[in-house]
Every structure is written in structure tokens, then in C-alpha cells.
Amino acid sequence: MRVFWVAALAVAATAACGGGATKTDTGVATTLPGHNSNPDGVAYPPPPAAGYGTGARLGFTAGNVIKNFKFPGYPNADSSGGLQTVALADYYDPCAKRYSVIHLSVAGVWCVPCNQETDAIVAAKAQLDAQRVVVIQALSDGNVSGQPATVQDLDYWTLKHKANFTEMLDPNLNNLGGFFADSAIPWNCDIDPRTMEILDEGSGWSGDLNADLQPAIAAVMSQPRYPVPVTCP
């Protein structure tokens, strides 16, 4: 499991903004339609015998398969059509035709390290494309820790950072709350797109995006830990 070292700046930001506002209803739909298959029509992996889970790969023990979570968001940061359903199934790629790694990130507007990490991801777009790493980011909080992110927050965030990857909403951590404590952001998770196995996950921003991604990139160079349901060329 990857471990992130959170810089002193991150600690200071959390102390300054982590008052923990009471969470409220954001009016954002949490039940979203469709998107149960990938763009090639391959159905999302069914739950293994142990079910979907939140655990990352540990040594020779496979990580859990992540559930097909669905978010309202802007695919490729394109807000022109309004909020769209973004599902993990959209990035499921059993033959690795499009992606080598799915990098799922959670951020909050109030969180200084989240802002820093997001700028680093934007700046690394060409490198990530060359490595076939696809980034999807969920905004959980607004300007205050524990204050659920709204559509207005997402619009502000996308514009502020000149986002060039998919941005989504997960207010109240309705989807991802079982993975980490709600104030422990940024949170990052790397997923094998061939099987949707969780390769690694952790909270904090190390300041080195390339170093953070290397374990996952190395992991997908070997055979997947779960069966691939299609025959790949």
C-alpha cells in the first residue's frame, strides 16, 4: 500500500479549515442512470466471492475490486453539456487498449494540498497521456472542511485549475466515504483498468506525482490478479 507523507503545509491547512461544518443535503442526485458497461459494451466486473471492497493490493494478496461508483461530473472537464453521469465503468478497459492505470483522486476547495496536487496533475497532462494514465477527480468539500461540494464549487474548481481531466462531485462522500476519513484529503487511489482491482491508495500529497504513480505503473506490467472476461489480441 502506498503511504503519503503530508507536508506541514497540509497540516496547517487542515488545522485552519477543519472546523467540520455540519453536512447538509446538496441537492445533487446520488442515484445515476446507466453506465454499467465500458465504451466497448463489456459489462463491469461482477463482485468477486468476497464482494466489492476498499482494500488495496498488499504484497501477493490481490486488492479488492472497486464498485462501479457513479458521479455527476464533467467528462474531460467539459461543462458545456452540464453535469453528466461519470462511472468507473467508463474507464474499465480489460484489454488495456486505452489506459494503463486509472488514478482516482478526491479533493476539497478548502484543502491547500489538494489545490497543489491538482495543479501538478494539470501540468503533467502530456506525461500522463504518454503513460496512458487517466485521471478522474471527485470534489467532496467546498470552502470549509465538511461542507459538501456543490455544482458551483465544481465550476469554480474546474475553472480555477484549468482542469484538463474529468472532474466530478462526491458531496458528503456519498460514494467514497468508506475508503478514508472525510477530512483526510487529498485521497488518491490507483486502479488496474483491466480488472478494476485497487492497486494502492492513501491520503496526502507527497509533492511528487511521478513517484506516487510509479508503483501502480509497475504493477500493471505484470499479469492481472483477477480473470479478464474477454479474449485480448
Side-chain angles (χ1 to χ4, degrees), residues 188-200:
N188 293 280
C189 174
D190 291 318
I191 301 165
D192 186 338
R194 299 171 298 179
T195 62
M196 305 308 288
E197 176 197 359
I198 302 169
L199 299 172
D200 56 53

Side-chain angles (χ1 to χ4, degrees), residues 66-180:
I66 193 169
K67 182 181 177 181
N68 181 28
F69 291 112
K70 301 176 184 181
F71 307 83
Y74 299 139
N76 299 314
D78 181 3
S79 61
S80 61
L83 290 176
Q84 308 292 317
T85 299
V86 178
L88 293 186
D90 300 336
Y91 303 93
Y92 173 45
D93 191 6
C95 293
K97 296 190 298 185
R98 289 174 286 271
Y99 312 122
S100 65
V101 171
I102 302 166
H103 184 72
L104 170 62
S105 176
V106 179
V109 176
W110 64 270
C111 167
V112 173
C114 300
N115 282 268
Q116 294 172 333
E117 181 182 46
T118 301
D119 286 335
I121 294 171
V122 169
K125 173 67 172 173
Q127 171 196 324
L128 295 170
D129 287 347
Q131 295 172 311
R132 301 195 311 132
V133 175
V134 61
V135 177
I136 55 177
Q137 185 178 64
L139 197 65
S140 62
D141 287 359
N143 284 318
V144 177
S145 177
Q147 174 183 294
T150 65
V151 177
Q152 290 73 26
D153 290 323
L154 186 64
D155 290 340
Y156 165 79
W157 182 265
T158 302
L159 182 63
K160 175 186 177 183
H161 293 286
K162 299 181 174 61
N164 49 18
F165 52 86
T166 295
E167 293 281 9
M168 317 175 295
L169 281 170
D170 192 20
N172 289 328
L173 289 175
N174 287 318
N175 283 334
L176 300 173
F179 288 83
F180 61 98

